[in-house]
Amino acid sequence: MATQPKPRSRRRLPLSKDRVLRAAIELADQGGIESLTMRKLGQVLRVEAMSLYNHVAHKDDIVDGIVDLVFSEIDLPASGADWKTAMRQRAISLRDVLLRHRWAIGLMESRRKAGPANLRHHDAVIGSLLAGGFSIAMTANAYSVLDAYIYGFALTKMNLPFETSEEVADVAKTMLAPFPVSEYPNLVAFIREHLQPGYDYGDEFESGLDLILDGLERAAGSSRAELGSSLPTTSRPEARPVRATSSRPTTSRARRMPS
């Protein structure tokens, strides 16, 4: 009988820094940043943990790398877009990215060693605000306010005690059950009128974002107006009244010669 040919073994992809980082971000997404170890990463990649050091220096190097990968997923301000549109799109994209990579929220602004995507992101946001007429000081204020809202909203959503809209009313009632509702009339009214099945906390994000953007627009306009009024004016000589002249040529008395 003819012998059957042996099946070819699957060719293993060569290890690279990109493969290491992609595997690391999947581990972090599944179990949090604390689940990311060199041993587990080696197991996922089916290599000895020591071989990882041919591509990354240490665990912090991996964390720096995967944080930069997260930054690369955030939409940059569109070329030619006005600052308000650009900041709105960027805020929504950043919120979505943070909810995909929940471990990253406490690391995005904490790395001393920033990667190219991180630097490119910050440069583009600052550039969009400056191009929109914001001063350097106003740009710093706008960036701070926007990120505080985006990161804070994402963190709140991650920690809500309900997952679906159907659970909202039940959770609210459970929270109030041990107490006489008459002591909290405003909260009870809020729950009854707002936190009903179908409510999604995520829907609050864009409404709050628009309030912030409208406020920044007003503040930037006031700042530009104050700057314009404080600019020094060039002194001009007092204008003299212009005498009306006849259309017929006249001869000056000083130039008349005696006959």
Side-chain angles (χ1 to χ4, degrees):
M1 290 180 62
T3 56
Q4 295 293 328
K6 293 182 179 180
R8 293 181 180 180
S9 58
R10 183 180 296 177
R11 186 178 179 183
R12 180 183 297 176
L13 291 174
L15 202 60
S16 65
K17 184 171 184 178
D18 184 66
R19 277 197 68 209
V20 171
L21 295 180
R22 297 291 174 184
I25 203 170
E26 287 184 16
L27 269 178
D29 287 346
Q30 293 168 8
I33 197 67
E34 62 279 356
S35 70
L36 177 58
T37 66
M38 301 301 275
R39 182 179 62 81
K40 286 185 179 179
L41 192 52
Q43 290 174 349
V44 169
L45 292 166
R46 293 188 294 175
V47 298
E48 294 293 331
M50 290 302 296
S51 65
L52 298 175
Y53 292 102
N54 294 322
H55 305 279
V56 292
H58 38 64
K59 183 178 175 180
D60 272 352
D61 191 24
I62 294 175
V63 174
D64 288 336
I66 61 177
V67 167
D68 205 53
L69 283 178
V70 174
F71 268 108
S72 72
E73 295 181 20
I74 305 168
D75 294 338
L76 294 177
S79 177
D82 66 276
W83 73 268
K84 200 172 180 181
T85 300
M87 291 303 101
R88 195 175 193 277
Q89 292 173 343
R90 178 255 178 184
I92 293 171
S93 178
L94 175 55
R95 186 244 355 231
D96 293 344
V97 168
L98 291 174
L99 293 176
R100 279 201 304 272
H101 306 292
R102 299 188 170 210
W103 54 269
I105 195 165
L107 297 170
M108 297 291 281
E109 305 297 336
S110 70
R111 311 312 294 170
R112 291 185 174 221
K113 184 181 177 183
N118 184 335
L119 298 175
R120 187 164 52 248
H121 176 86
H122 285 82
D123 184 74
V125 173
I126 292 169
S128 180
L129 291 169
L130 292 176
F134 285 69
S135 66
I136 290 290
M138 276 294 297
T139 294
N141 290 339
Y143 210 153
S144 176
V145 168
L146 284 167
D147 274 11
Y149 176 69
I150 300 164
Y151 283 95
F153 190 97
L155 186 61
T156 300
K157 184 167 175 56
M158 290 176 196
N159 291 289
L160 288 175
F162 50 83
E163 292 289 336
T164 66
S165 59
E166 289 73 19
E167 295 178 298
V168 175
D170 289 338
V171 170
K173 290 176 183 176
T174 301
M175 292 171 64
L176 288 173
F179 309 100
V181 294
S182 59
E183 293 185 13
Y184 311 101
N186 301 312
L187 180 57
V188 170
F190 181 80
I191 291 170
R192 287 175 177 170
E193 296 177 25
H194 197 59
L195 302 185
Q196 294 300 311
Y199 171 79
D200 186 349
Y201 175 72
D203 293 340
E204 307 282 2
F205 180 76
E206 293 188 36
S207 299
L209 177 62
D210 287 338
L211 288 175
I212 293 172
L213 291 173
D214 288 345
L216 289 174
E217 186 174 43
R218 289 192 296 271
S222 299
S223 179
R224 285 193 290 270
E226 291 176 6
L227 180 62
S229 64
S230 66
L231 292 176
T233 55
T234 305
S235 59
R236 297 179 181 178
E238 185 178 352
R240 296 180 180 181
V242 179
R243 294 179 180 177
T245 58
S246 171
S247 60
R248 293 180 297 175
T250 56
T251 305
S252 170
R253 288 181 182 179
R255 295 182 60 187
R256 286 180 184 173
M257 298 293 291
S259 57

